[in-house]
Amino acid sequence: MRVALTLSLLALGAVQPPPVAAPRAAMVIRGVSLIDGTGTPARPGISIVVRESRIAAIVAAGAEPPADLVVNGEGLFAIPGLIDAHVHLSGMPWAQRTEQLARVVRGGVTTVFDMAGDVRDTSHLSRAALTGEIDSPAIEYASLMAGPAFFTDPRVIASSRGYRPGEAPWNREVTADTDLVRAIAEAKGAGAHAIKLYAALDAATVARVGTEAARQNIRLVAHATTFPAKPSDLIAAGVKLLAHTPYLVWEGSAPSDDFPKRARGDFAGVPPDGEVMTRLLQSMKDRGVALNPTLWIFAEGPAKDDLAPVRTPWMNAVTRRAQAMGVILSAGTDSMIQGGDAWPMLHRELEAEVAAGLTPMEALVSATSGAARGLGIDGSRGTLAAGQAADIVLTDADPAADIRNTRRIRVVIKDGRLVHQAQIAGGR
Ligand SMILES: [Zn+2]
């Protein structure tokens, strides 16, 4: 009775609430052409509303709330901050590496994924990036697992210093006898966001790792062949991202444990459009396994060798087919920046994807939502939509018309913070 009375009094006293002004935003980017990273064509006349570190809303220009900072986006294109899904950050002095990371974020790359190294080093950088101590992309990283034959490699010895090779929690030797429950728990304890399977691992071991990684809920990524395990063995084990298109060729060969030969497969004997590759790409599509092509490094970069004239057309054709068949492509460079080049190499990789036959929009997707999906971070990065991190790049020309326009950067916003604003030549 009492409740009913209260309700009726409230009802009698009810008036239309006064119009409430939309809460003030930290930042509004007004009137851009929006390329949201999903492959949807550019939408002109859009405003992006940023609150704290996130995109609060995407609205029609003119419908935005007042803001502390208004960026005039007229004539500009907004794309998601780019994601390089394959870098290596450790093994360089702090000052040199942080200078590179600052250059990379100014170059439009707002997230990088480190595919193994010294996790002590990488986690320190990752934390400094998170706290704003350094200007840097967000840094996620993997721990490595490989068979005994890999642990004589000088790179893995250097990045395990202080431990017997194979015993560092982030660079772990795995055999049939390894206590995987503990090894995977220690990889997680080291802060790794994923485990990378590298080399000298057979199908049975990979399957055991896959089962335990699923149980402990940590993502698996891998070189596309781990010798003797083939690409299909890795897919069956639950790996979610396969690195280096050329290594897919080993699906068509007898199992080999000669991993130093990984870039020298039988490209002439395994046609890109043949049954073996078709079946493999179809299973990647069906299982949601991403391909991290790393084209540039084999065609023109440090991994180029005498086999390039055969390997390059093969990897281009397979990457193009993967795209056509609906496989997720996650762009990555394996070489975030090269000494003399002012730009992050991701721009070169996107140009290599277009040279391989992808459209500029497909290439852009591979470095935004595609990369985020391959890394399992698509719930927070890789697209421009309400709720996503405010990682936004503004260019003064359309990257979907010409992929080289990803270099025409005017503004970079990372986690809602303006990290770079180009000198505007000729005034705007
Ligand atoms: Zn690599």
Side-chain angles (χ1 to χ4, degrees):
M1 190 61 206
R2 190 160 183 176
V3 171
L5 182 63
T6 308
L7 282 175
S8 66
L9 284 174
L10 275 175
L12 284 172
V15 292
Q16 285 297 319
V20 177
R24 200 171 174 82
M27 186 190 298
V28 160
I29 303 159
R30 191 170 57 203
V32 288
S33 288
L34 183 87
I35 297 178
D36 68 4
T38 65
T40 302
R43 284 189 288 151
I46 296 291
S47 291
I48 305 172
V49 181
V50 174
R51 284 203 178 88
E52 296 177 355
S53 63
R54 300 198 167 268
I55 296 172
I58 305 274
V59 299
E64 62 276 339
D68 296 337
L69 175 66
V70 176
V71 178
N72 180 8
E74 261 175 66
L76 302 182
F77 292 80
I79 60 173
L82 301 174
I83 300 172
D84 187 337
H86 193 149
V87 305
H88 297 280
L89 295 177
S90 64
M92 187 176 276
W94 176 262
Q96 196 178 348
R97 185 60 84 196
T98 53
E99 182 279 325
Q100 288 188 345
L101 287 165
R103 248 194 297 158
V104 165
V105 74
R106 283 199 302 274
V109 177
T110 53
T111 303
V112 298
F113 178 66
D114 186 287
M115 282 255 211
D118 190 333
V119 155
R120 293 168 294 194
D121 215 3
T122 319
S123 65
H124 190 189
L125 288 163
S126 174
R127 179 187 173 281
L130 196 64
T131 59
E133 181 189 332
I134 59 172
D135 273 344
S136 167
I139 298 169
E140 308 238 356
Y141 48 94
S143 253
L144 176 142
M145 288 187 174
F150 181 57
F151 287 88
T152 54
D153 188 303
R155 295 170 302 170
V156 75
I157 292 170
S159 60
S160 307
R161 205 164 281 141
Y163 288 81
R164 198 186 72 82
E167 290 183 356
W170 59 88
N171 276 331
R172 177 72 71 174
E173 177 184 293
V174 172
T175 67
D177 301 327
T178 301
D179 176 356
L180 285 174
V181 174
R182 180 166 159 181
I184 289 173
E186 288 185 357
K188 290 187 78 169
H193 306 107
I195 290 172
K196 180 187 187 182
L197 306 177
Y198 188 90
L201 293 167
D202 63 19
T205 305
V206 160
R208 285 179 58 227
V209 173
T211 303
E212 184 56 24
R215 198 183 68 83
Q216 294 196 35
N217 193 27
I218 186 164
R219 199 171 190 83
L220 285 185
V221 301
H223 266 185
T225 307
T226 59
F227 301 92
K230 295 179 164 207
S232 55
D233 298 323
L234 295 160
I235 295 167
V239 168
K240 285 299 176 198
L241 179 141
L242 293 176
H244 308 304
T245 300
Y247 300 178
L248 293 176
V249 76
W250 295 94
E251 185 66 17
S253 308
S256 160
D257 55 11
D258 190 7
F259 70 85
K261 270 176 52 188
R262 55 198 179 274
R264 307 188 63 81
D266 181 15
F267 299 106
V270 184
D273 55 357
E275 196 191 321
V276 168
M277 292 312 300
T278 302
R279 202 181 323 119
L280 180 64
L281 294 173
Q282 189 60 46
S283 76
M284 290 178 75
K285 153 90 171 98
D286 294 344
R287 304 278 299 259
V289 178
L291 177 62
N292 171 226
T294 71
L295 301 179
W296 169 81
I297 200 159
F298 291 104
E300 297 172 59
K304 183 180 180 183
D305 59 19
D306 61 301
L307 215 58
V310 189
R311 187 176 51 224
T312 298
W314 190 93
M315 72 181 181
N316 286 349
V318 169
T319 302
R320 198 163 59 236
R321 281 206 85 209
Q323 172 70 44
M325 289 175 67
V327 176
I328 299 163
L329 295 193
S330 298
T333 58
D334 206 3
S335 180
M336 181 178 74
I337 202 159
Q338 296 270 305
D341 197 319
W343 287 92
M345 299 314 291
L346 188 56
H347 298 279
R348 285 276 280 280
E349 179 65 14
L350 298 187
E351 288 159 20
E353 288 185 0
V354 171
L358 269 62
T359 66
M361 184 63 98
E362 288 166 348
L364 196 58
V365 167
S366 77
T368 53
S369 65
R373 291 169 75 197
L375 301 177
I377 57 170
D378 49 316
S380 57
R381 299 191 197 269
T383 51
L384 296 181
Q388 296 289 82
D391 291 350
I392 306 163
V393 173
L394 303 182
T395 63
D396 66 5
D398 183 0
D402 183 337
I403 197 62
R404 291 171 300 182
N405 291 340
T406 56
R407 297 172 187 257
R408 297 192 52 152
I409 294 172
R410 290 303 185 91
V411 172
V412 179
I413 294 155
K414 152 114 194 306
D415 286 321
R417 201 167 61 86
L418 202 59
V419 292
H420 176 61
Q421 190 163 17
Q423 292 296 329
I424 298 182
R428 175 181 288 276

